[in-house]
């Protein structure tokens, strides 16, 4: 509706951006396969929600940006660029899900996130709604991946009859994927044998 775009509050812009990030990750095939196969352990789904929160935390909040700031206050950080987002996507996939993404799909995911950010900043949520429709179209489906001897993968979406297609009509905000803090039982950062610290983003 046109009225919803009149002058959305910073809180609404932030909420929509967070949904855009969460949905973008739910649409990422590499992450979906990792979660369905518990490559991140039994809490893989929680890790995906934490992952979304970690990406959101890379960007200054629209709520904070809207607050007047005194000259003595520390300036807010700038938005990360696509290279930063892509690097974080790849590193978290490796550190948390032991998945080496080598198909450049992180580029498309980062582009979605940055596009959602730009549109939410402008008060437009059309792209987030488009992502939400795409996510609902895959809801209730599992990913079937067949690995050939040469390492190539063939991917199929297999429908689950228990999930009714009627959910695709009349979408409500609360039907979108959740964005939650990191699970409390998540292990602390670890340092590998080479002295590199695994990625750990601040919890929301």
């Amino acid at each position: 509706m046109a009225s919803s775009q009149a002058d959305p509050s910073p809180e609404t812009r932030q909420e929509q951006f967070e949904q855009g990030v969460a949905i973008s990750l739910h649409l990422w095939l590499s992450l979906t396969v990792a979660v369905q196969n518990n490559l991140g352990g039994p809490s893989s789904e929680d890790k995906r929600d934490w992952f979304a929160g970690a990406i959101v935390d890379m960007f200054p909040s629209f709520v904070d940006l809207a607050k007047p700031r005194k000259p003595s206050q520390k300036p807010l950080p700038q938005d990360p660029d696509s290279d930063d987002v892509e690097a974080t996507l790849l590193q978290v996939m490796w550190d948390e899900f032991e998945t080496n993404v080598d198909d450049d799909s992180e580029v498309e995911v980062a582009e979605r996130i940055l596009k959602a950010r730009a549109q939410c900043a402008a008060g437009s949520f059309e792209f987030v709604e488009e992502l939400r429709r795409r996510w609902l179209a895959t809801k209730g489906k599992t990913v079937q991946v067949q690995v050939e001897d040469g390492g190539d993968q063939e991917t199929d979406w297999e429908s689950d009859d228990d999930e009714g297609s009627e959910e695709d009509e009349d979408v409500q905000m609360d039907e979108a994927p959740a964005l939650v803090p990191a699970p409390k039982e998540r292990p602390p950062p670890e340092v590998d044998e080479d002295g590199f610290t695994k990625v750990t983003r601040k919890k929301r």
Side-chain angles (χ1 to χ4, degrees):
M1 296 173 60
S3 60
S4 64
Q5 299 182 20
D7 189 18
S9 67
E11 290 79 8
T12 299
R13 297 182 193 207
Q14 183 66 22
E15 182 180 4
Q16 288 282 348
F17 172 59
E18 291 178 359
Q19 288 296 316
V21 172
I23 296 170
S24 294
L25 293 187
H26 274 73
L27 289 172
W28 191 8
L29 184 60
S30 297
L31 179 55
T32 299
V33 172
V35 170
Q36 289 184 352
N37 288 280
N38 286 329
L39 299 184
S43 61
S44 289
E45 289 191 8
D46 290 336
K47 280 189 176 182
R48 177 170 55 189
D49 294 335
W50 167 84
F51 195 174
I55 296 297
V56 168
D57 282 344
M58 295 178 70
F59 298 80
S61 166
F62 286 121
V63 177
D64 291 338
L65 289 171
K67 294 177 181 177
R69 302 187 68 78
K70 299 177 181 178
S72 59
Q73 286 183 296
K74 183 179 178 181
L76 292 170
Q78 298 293 315
D79 282 7
D81 60 21
S82 58
D83 288 341
D84 290 336
V85 177
E86 290 168 19
T88 302
L89 291 171
L90 290 176
Q91 192 167 4
V92 174
M93 283 293 287
W94 177 252
D95 289 344
E96 301 295 343
F97 297 94
E98 298 183 355
T99 298
N100 182 24
V101 180
D102 57 3
D103 59 0
D104 293 330
S105 58
E106 77 281 356
V107 175
E108 181 182 357
V109 178
E111 287 177 351
R112 284 192 208 130
I113 291 170
L114 292 176
K115 184 175 181 179
R117 175 71 177 185
Q119 288 204 2
C120 288
S124 172
F125 310 130
E126 292 180 6
F127 183 62
V128 175
E129 289 299 331
E130 176 187 332
L131 291 177
R132 187 176 288 111
R133 288 191 294 270
R134 289 175 58 186
W135 175 71
L136 284 172
T138 65
K139 195 176 178 184
K141 297 179 181 179
T142 55
V143 182
Q144 302 295 323
V145 178
Q146 297 178 346
V147 181
E148 305 296 336
D149 292 340
D152 295 333
Q153 295 184 348
E154 295 181 1
T155 307
D156 271 322
W157 288 97
E158 189 173 273
S159 198
D160 222 351
D161 289 337
D162 292 340
E163 298 284 348
S165 60
E166 65 272 8
E167 294 183 31
D168 295 359
E169 305 171 4
D170 241 0
V171 180
Q172 298 297 325
M173 278 285 298
D174 57 3
E175 290 180 315
L179 185 78
V180 300
K184 292 181 180 178
E185 67 273 11
R186 188 170 173 272
E190 297 179 9
V191 178
D192 62 21
E193 296 177 356
D194 297 324
F196 290 102
T197 302
K198 294 186 176 182
V199 164
T200 303
R201 295 284 172 184
K202 60 183 178 181
K203 300 181 182 179
R204 290 178 54 75

